[in-house]
């Protein structure tokens, strides 16, 4: 979503922190259930049951999500090369879903993108080592602060 917005409306995006995502089907490992994934799915199922207006539809949502992740966004190198906002591609060194070469490919295809490795974590880095993950996000945000002049002033007239 972040890359799609950055491509379509770069004036609305200060930058993209792109973590643990692929841009075409070649970037994903074939799915293999692990203990870590199983534990995460249990947590997702519990959260979904608590928060969703249709908790019985978890399996349907999960299947649709897997289909979407295997087919979208399907960006070409030219699509990635058209992205003009700052991008940090962060990848977990032990990601169960995204191939390491794919993260490097994305970072190389987007002009001036930066690649950040998060060692000792999997696809679930924000939960496994939140302090390390948050430090990478905060570094990205600090480096890509919008300039004050880029913000529009609020309207001065009241209706």
């Amino acid at each position: 979503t972040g890359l799609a917005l950055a491509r379509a409306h770069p004036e609305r995006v200060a930058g993209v922190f792109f973590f643990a995502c692929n841009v075409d089907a070649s970037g994903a490992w074939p799915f293999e259930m692990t203990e870590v994934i199983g534990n995460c799915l249990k947590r997702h199922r519990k959260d979904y049951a608590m928060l969703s207006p249709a908790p019985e539809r978890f399996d349907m949502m999960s299947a649709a999500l897997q289909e979407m992740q295997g087919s979208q966004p399907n960006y070409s190198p030219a699509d990635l090369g058209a992205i003009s906002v700052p991008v940090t591609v962060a990848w977990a060194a032990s990601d169960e879903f995204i191939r390491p070469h794919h993260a490097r490919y994305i970072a190389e295809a987007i002009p001036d993108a930066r690649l950040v490795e998060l060692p000792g974590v999997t696809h679930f880095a924000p939960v496994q080592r939140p302090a390390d993950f948050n430090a990478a996000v905060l570094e990205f945000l600090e480096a890509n602060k919008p300039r004050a002049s880029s913000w529009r002033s609020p309207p001065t007239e009241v209706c």
Side-chain angles (χ1 to χ4, degrees):
T1 302
L3 289 181
L5 185 60
R7 278 187 67 229
H9 301 284
E11 72 283 358
R12 301 188 73 184
V13 179
V16 176
F17 187 85
F18 196 72
F19 172 69
C21 296
N22 57 307
V23 297
D24 63 53
S26 74
W29 292 109
F31 181 77
E32 186 176 315
M33 182 59 77
T34 66
E35 184 178 348
V36 171
I37 293 171
N39 290 337
C40 189
L41 285 175
K42 286 178 193 173
R43 180 179 174 168
H44 288 337
R45 186 178 293 278
K46 182 180 173 184
D47 290 345
Y48 192 88
M50 185 175 67
L51 299 170
S52 175
E56 71 282 358
R57 297 176 75 185
F58 179 83
D59 290 332
M60 186 181 348
M61 178 278 304
S62 182
L65 181 62
Q66 288 176 14
E67 182 181 333
M68 184 261 324
Q69 290 171 328
S71 63
Q72 295 177 24
N74 202 28
Y75 283 169
S76 70
D79 293 330
L80 295 172
I83 296 171
S84 61
V85 303
V87 175
T88 291
V89 177
W91 67 280
S94 299
D95 196 308
E96 302 92 339
F97 299 105
I98 306 303
R99 297 171 186 265
H101 76 271
H102 195 68
R104 286 189 292 275
Y105 156 71
I106 296 166
E108 290 170 2
I110 297 172
D112 302 317
R114 188 170 164 250
L115 180 65
V116 173
E117 179 183 351
L118 302 173
V121 293
T122 72
H123 191 79
F124 308 102
V127 176
Q128 292 169 323
R129 293 203 180 141
D132 294 345
F133 184 83
N134 291 344
V137 172
L138 290 171
E139 182 180 329
F140 166 79
L141 291 173
E142 183 63 31
N144 294 291
K145 278 185 187 175
R147 293 182 308 269
S149 62
S150 69
W151 293 93
R152 287 190 230 154
S153 300
T156 54
E157 296 178 16
V158 178
C159 297

